[in-house]
């Protein structure tokens, strides 16, 4: 898919990875981006900054808690009503809070599942849309174990398993939708700092063992990997790990010869 004149919806679009993705989408001449986020102040601020940079009417902020089915569907509907179409859905909002683990699973996994099926409903060729691409944000810990964040790790493994499977569901394929996921290593956002303050059980372990020693994926490395996945018409069910300084690589599922 090329980006010209297309429309994206990005959950967690007010900040961090979602904001960086939205910025790149608009820089590639997308018609508009819908920033879907629970943080109203940041969301309005980011939408305003994008309109100043790319022109009036290019960014729409939708206040939405992705754990609410009603609010998430309303955001998809607002996006199509505002821009007239939808082509790319990034299910990206996420938190790391091992103490609030049921909420974390709702945001990191359930909302990714719900967002994928809403994308089929609002982009599907059988439903009046043009088809499109769903990009789900997992993590490198969607592929490997991480003993310091067991539920976060489980939620991200769930995103990988769901993406690999949903990509080949008949209702998804027959609607002209591709589904892919990214598995970044630590990225240059405030995410880990927020996790330290609010939801990491092992803050001292992180500080003693890792603080300052974990290189960050730069936004440019992450966004170029996502752009490639969107542009590549053969990328479906792809799970791409993104490593600082090493780019993006597709990770196939194990062949168990069952
Ligand atoms: N930063 C990192 O090192 C890595 C992050 N990830 C994943 O990337 C995704 C984005 O993370 P970052 O941009 O780094 O985090 P961030 O904290 O900078 O941004 C996350 C955004 O999601 C929004 N959000 C949180 N809960 C929400 C909810 N219930 N409804 C709607 N919006 C909500 C926040 O308001 C925020 O704007 C997450 O899924 C995270 O798990 C994956 C690998 C590494
Ligand atoms: C274990 C939770 C990891 C959460 C972030 C994520 O999804 C992926 C991170 C990838 C690599 C790093 C893995 C674990 C350590 C994480 C952060 C330590 C940061 C220390 C620091 O420099 O502040």
């Amino acid at each position: 898919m090329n980006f010209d004149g297309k429309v994206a919806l990005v959950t967690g679009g007010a900040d961090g990875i979602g904001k960086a993705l939205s910025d790149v989408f608009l820089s590639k001449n997308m018609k508009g981006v819908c920033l879907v986020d629970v943080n109203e102040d940041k969301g309005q601020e980011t939408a305003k900054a994008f309109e100043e940079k790319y022109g009036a009417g290019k960014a729409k902020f939708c206040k939405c808690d992705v754990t609410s089915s009603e609010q998430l569907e309303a955001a998809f509907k607002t996006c199509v009503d505002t821009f007239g179409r939808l082509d790319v859905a990034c299910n990206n909002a996420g938190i790391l809070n091992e103490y609030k683990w049921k909420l974390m699973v709702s945001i990191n996994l359930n909302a990714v599942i719900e967002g994928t099926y809403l994308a089929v409903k609002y982009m599907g060729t059988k439903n009046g849309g043009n088809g499109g691409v769903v990009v789900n944000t997992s993590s490198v810990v969607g592929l490997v174990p991480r003993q310091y964040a067991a539920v976060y790790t489980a939620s991200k493994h769930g995103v990988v398993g769901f993406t690999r499977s949903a990509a080949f569901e008949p209702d998804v394929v027959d609607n002209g939708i591709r589904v892919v996921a990214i598995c970044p290593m630590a990225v240059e956002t405030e995410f880990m700092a927020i996790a330290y303050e609010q939801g990491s059980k092992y803050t001292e372990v992180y500080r003693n063992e890792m603080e300052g020693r974990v290189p960050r994926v730069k936004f440019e490395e992450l966004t170029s990997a996502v752009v490639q996945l969107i542009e590549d018409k053969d990328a479906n069910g792809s799970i791409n790990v993104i490593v600082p300084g090493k780019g993006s690589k597709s990770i196939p599922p194990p062949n168990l010869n069952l």
Side-chain angles (χ1 to χ4, degrees):
M1 176 195 290
N2 70 42
F3 287 81
D4 210 16
K6 304 287 180 16
V7 173
L9 176 152
V10 182
T11 71
D15 209 356
I17 291 170
K19 178 179 171 183
L21 285 172
S22 302
D23 197 352
V24 166
F25 293 162
L26 288 171
S27 78
K28 297 183 89 59
N29 204 30
M30 272 196 155
K31 180 179 181 186
V33 173
C34 208
L35 309 170
V36 177
D37 207 290
V38 73
N39 186 334
E40 181 153 25
D41 291 346
K42 263 271 157 60
Q44 298 285 13
E45 181 188 309
T46 301
K48 186 164 173 272
F50 285 158
E51 295 216 305
E52 281 166 10
K53 190 169 173 186
Y54 296 107
K58 295 293 263 186
K60 169 88 182 164
F61 170 63
C62 284
K63 181 171 164 47
C64 163
D65 179 341
V66 297
T67 64
S68 158
S69 301
E70 293 73 27
Q71 290 181 30
L72 191 55
E73 172 137 25
F76 275 79
K77 190 167 182 316
T78 300
C79 183
V80 173
D81 289 348
T82 304
F83 295 112
R85 60 186 294 147
L86 178 61
D87 305 278
V88 173
C90 297
N91 295 305
N92 164 77
I95 62 167
L96 194 171
N97 192 326
E98 293 290 314
Y99 299 108
K100 296 186 179 171
W101 64 263
K102 289 185 183 174
L103 172 67
M104 179 165 64
V105 173
S106 291
I107 298 172
N108 292 8
L109 178 58
N110 296 6
V112 169
I113 295 170
E114 190 135 49
T116 302
Y117 289 137
L118 283 168
V120 175
K121 179 170 173 183
Y122 284 88
M123 309 197 300
T125 50
K126 289 175 154 183
N127 302 321
N130 304 294
V133 186
V134 176
V135 181
N136 294 329
T137 303
S138 177
S139 159
V140 68
V141 305
L143 295 162
V144 296
R146 192 73 203 166
Q147 74 273 34
Y148 300 136
V151 183
Y152 179 83
T153 299
S155 72
K156 295 301 185 179
H157 273 65
V159 172
V160 168
F162 172 73
T163 299
R164 282 184 172 142
S165 309
F168 300 100
E169 276 190 326
D171 196 39
V172 176
V173 174
D174 296 348
N175 268 297
I177 309 283
R178 294 189 284 114
V179 191
V180 299
I182 52 167
C183 293
M185 288 189 61
V187 183
E188 52 169 337
T189 71
E190 294 304 307
F191 186 82
M192 283 311 302
I194 297 169
Y196 285 152
E197 298 310 317
Q198 297 177 1
S200 165
K201 277 188 188 167
Y202 300 102
T203 294
E204 287 315 308
V205 180
Y206 287 129
R207 292 229 155 101
N208 296 337
E209 290 184 7
M210 288 176 274
E211 193 160 26
R213 281 175 230 155
V214 178
R216 296 295 198 256
V217 174
K218 295 196 184 317
F219 286 136
E220 203 279 329
E221 296 176 285
L222 185 141
T223 56
S224 62
V226 172
V227 165
Q228 263 178 25
L229 284 166
I230 292 170
E231 286 178 338
D232 178 0
K233 64 178 177 34
D234 295 324
N236 190 34
S238 312
I239 304 297
N240 275 53
V241 73
I242 305 168
V243 179
K246 292 191 177 168
S248 157
K249 184 169 130 189
S250 174
I251 306 294
N255 181 356
L256 302 179
N257 284 322
L258 297 175

